[in-house]
Amino acid sequence: MILVVNSGSSSIKFSLYKNEDNKIVKITQGIAEQIKVKGKVSISYNQNKYEYDIDLPNHKIAIETILTKLDDLNIIENIADIKGVGYRTVHGGSISKSSLIDDSVLNKLNESSKLAPLHNPPALLVIEKFREFLPNAKHVACFDTAFHQTMPKINYIYPVNYDWYKNYGVRKYGFHGISFNYINKKYEEIVGKTKTNTIVCHLGNGASLCSTKNGKSFDTTMGLTPLAGIMMGTRCGDIDPSIINFMASTLKKDVAQINDMLNNESGLLGVSKVSSDIRYIEDGYRNGDELCLLAIELYTQKIANFIIQMANQQEGKVDAIIFTAGIGENSATIRKKVIDKLFLLNVKLDELKNEASYSDYLKISSDNSGVEIYKIRTNEEIMICQDVISFL
Ligand code: ADP
């Protein structure tokens, strides 16, 4: 069995898979949340949902509780049956592929903690504890940054003092790589081609675009941190960097506080003043709310601008534009508004297919479109699971 773990500062999401005759089957999934606050563990198994209110004062107890509950519910007979554990890890610095966790990988993760202070430290803690509980399993770190290590220098160097890159690692890393990797593999499987040029719009609460050239990441919109690029649920994306200084002195706050506001109070939430969730903003938009209209126009314009820039770097040879993640998979309105803003590309949306329900994926461009358009559901967990299997 393989356990896939996605941890945050107060939660640990997990799912358990088995690999039978090269077919990966999900057995169960769940979450331990409100760690250090209160504590709750939920597990879905065989169409039932089991919920427990349990004190979870730290990550160690949360992990112990997850493993005990899996045992109590007879989902696993023996925790030693878990042969591999895969961890979604946000920042891998310059690591270019999923890696078996050893001291050198742990050191690199520690170094990258400065670049992802909210994400890497809880991931490291969780890795340490799972290694204690499952000493004989293979532990594999899968990085959101790894897929983008193929980007050419022209796309990852910032126009600042070159010493910042050389001495402090200030460069574009990019994120959502596990999702982009999954989506590109899926697209190539669907069309039966390899080395494709795609522009993938991963539009979740956090959101970024990735352009692939010959099947490899060529450019992406997030940067040193996930704050850069397009406007997101609560993050601002690219802005004039001087705004930070200006607002720090205007509001008499320090840079860290302004950075926090740019991460948590900006984007769709900041502009619409309604919500970070596109469903509420679309409701406001349909009811004629001016700020909701502005938020949606701004959001889709930013995405369209990056698509055009990426298409230019692909010398116009774009095979497909693909929408994925919460908004990309579900919002026909956002997809249509983005496509309608792409004047320099020969793209034609099939509006019925754009609105149609689907399971895994659906091609939503018309037959006479020069570029294919798809909506594809992402699956980061299965990608992590496959990576773990490759080490077993
Ligand atoms: P993340 O993994 O970054 O937290 P998700 O990929 O789960 O985010 O996307 C979450 C967002 O997707 C929500 O904030 C909401 O805006 C949007 N979303 C989710 N479901 C729907 C839906 N059925 N219709 C439209 N938007 C949706």
Side-chain angles (χ1 to χ4, degrees):
M1 285 191 283
I2 293 113
L3 189 65
V4 173
V5 179
N6 186 356
S7 51
S9 56
S10 68
S11 73
I12 302 171
K13 288 188 205 144
F14 60 92
S15 36
L16 191 66
Y17 293 86
K18 61 182 172 184
N19 184 20
E20 278 180 350
D21 308 324
N22 282 331
K23 208 168 158 240
I24 300 173
V25 182
K26 192 186 229 176
I27 305 169
T28 180
Q29 67 176 33
I31 182 167
E33 53 194 329
Q34 299 173 357
I35 300 170
K36 290 183 276 189
V37 186
K38 250 171 82 197
K40 187 174 164 192
V41 175
S42 322
I43 299 179
S44 305
Y45 180 55
N46 276 350
Q47 271 107 50
N48 293 318
K49 189 162 185 193
Y50 302 90
E51 291 185 315
Y52 309 92
D53 289 314
I54 302 177
D55 259 359
L56 301 175
N58 56 47
H59 283 77
K60 182 174 182 192
I61 294 181
I63 293 167
E64 200 168 24
T65 311
I66 292 170
L67 294 172
T68 311
K69 291 295 166 199
L70 290 175
D71 191 16
D72 290 352
L73 291 168
N74 289 325
I75 300 173
I76 48 175
E77 273 176 33
N78 186 333
I79 62 164
D81 292 341
I82 300 173
K83 303 289 183 210
V85 189
Y87 304 89
R88 179 176 179 197
T89 315
V90 168
H91 217 306
S94 58
I95 301 176
S96 62
K97 52 183 191 298
S98 297
S99 312
L100 204 55
I101 296 170
D102 57 17
D103 289 346
S104 117
V105 171
L106 285 177
N107 282 340
K108 285 190 183 155
L109 274 175
N110 255 321
E111 279 168 27
S112 306
S113 284
K114 302 196 274 294
L115 299 172
L118 294 180
H119 296 100
N120 276 22
L124 273 162
L125 192 69
V126 165
I127 291 171
E128 185 189 315
K129 297 300 165 205
F130 268 112
R131 283 176 96 205
E132 275 172 37
F133 284 115
L134 302 166
N136 297 319
K138 298 255 191 271
H139 297 262
V140 178
C142 305
F143 305 100
D144 271 323
T145 46
F147 185 66
H148 300 299
Q149 283 293 309
T150 53
M151 282 191 298
K153 213 165 192 178
I154 193 94
N155 283 340
Y156 70 71
I157 291 293
Y158 288 116
V160 293
N161 188 331
Y162 195 72
D163 291 346
W164 290 10
Y165 164 62
K166 270 199 330 213
N167 299 340
Y168 312 112
V170 173
R171 51 159 286 179
K172 187 195 274 187
Y173 290 95
F175 299 88
H176 293 132
I178 301 168
S179 172
F180 290 130
N181 194 7
Y182 173 84
I183 294 291
N184 276 293
K185 285 202 163 109
K186 183 84 190 174
Y187 171 70
E188 294 196 342
E189 185 190 303
I190 295 165
V191 295
K193 281 197 277 186
T194 55
K195 300 193 174 169
T196 54
N197 292 351
T198 61
I199 299 174
V200 181
C201 307
H202 177 109
L203 311 178
N205 196 23
S208 67
L209 270 59
C210 174
S211 85
T212 59
K213 219 169 174 179
N214 295 320
K216 294 192 173 125
S217 174
F218 189 75
D219 199 6
T220 190
T221 55
M222 282 180 169
L224 174 77
T225 73
L227 186 58
I230 57 168
M231 170 179 173
M232 308 173 213
T234 60
R235 296 187 198 126
C236 58
D238 291 353
I239 57 166
D240 177 349
S242 296
I243 291 174
I244 298 173
N245 199 24
F246 176 74
M247 286 314 293
S249 65
T250 304
L251 299 178
K252 310 240 174 322
K253 290 185 186 285
D254 60 29
V255 168
Q257 287 171 308
I258 299 295
N259 190 50
D260 200 51
M261 293 168 87
L262 295 177
N263 269 289
N264 299 314
E265 298 171 20
S266 305
L268 289 168
L269 173 67
V271 176
S272 72
K273 298 280 193 186
V274 166
S275 171
S276 60
D277 190 315
I278 204 79
R279 287 166 286 196
Y280 297 107
I281 305 174
E282 285 184 21
D283 285 347
Y285 163 75
R286 279 187 281 272
N287 293 328
D289 183 296
E290 247 177 69
L291 288 183
C292 289
L293 175 70
L294 178 63
I296 285 185
E297 289 303 322
L298 202 56
Y299 183 68
T300 49
Q301 188 64 56
K302 301 278 177 206
I303 298 167
N305 292 352
F306 273 114
I307 292 177
I308 292 298
Q309 182 181 313
M310 288 173 159
N312 186 51
Q313 283 205 341
Q314 292 177 354
E315 296 158 38
K317 297 177 200 132
V318 190
D319 291 310
I321 296 168
I322 305 168
F323 292 91
T324 192
I327 299 173
E329 291 167 19
N330 296 305
S331 174
T333 306
I334 294 297
R335 288 191 299 261
K336 176 165 165 43
K337 281 196 167 285
V338 170
I339 299 297
D340 282 351
K341 291 180 169 63
L342 300 177
F343 299 104
L344 296 182
L345 277 175
N346 174 15
V347 277
K348 295 202 173 54
L349 187 69
D350 179 325
E351 300 208 7
L352 285 178
K353 287 188 179 150
N354 185 37
E355 305 265 348
S357 59
Y358 66 114
S359 56
D360 282 3
Y361 68 89
L362 193 66
K363 182 172 160 183
I364 57 171
S365 46
S366 328
D367 291 340
N368 62 346
S369 180
V371 176
E372 293 186 324
I373 314 170
Y374 274 83
K375 47 185 179 187
I376 304 182
R377 296 197 193 279
T378 195
N379 193 339
E380 289 156 305
E381 290 168 359
I382 208 91
M383 203 69 233
I384 295 173
C385 188
Q386 283 169 357
D387 279 357
V388 176
I389 289 170
S390 73
F391 284 98
L392 293 181

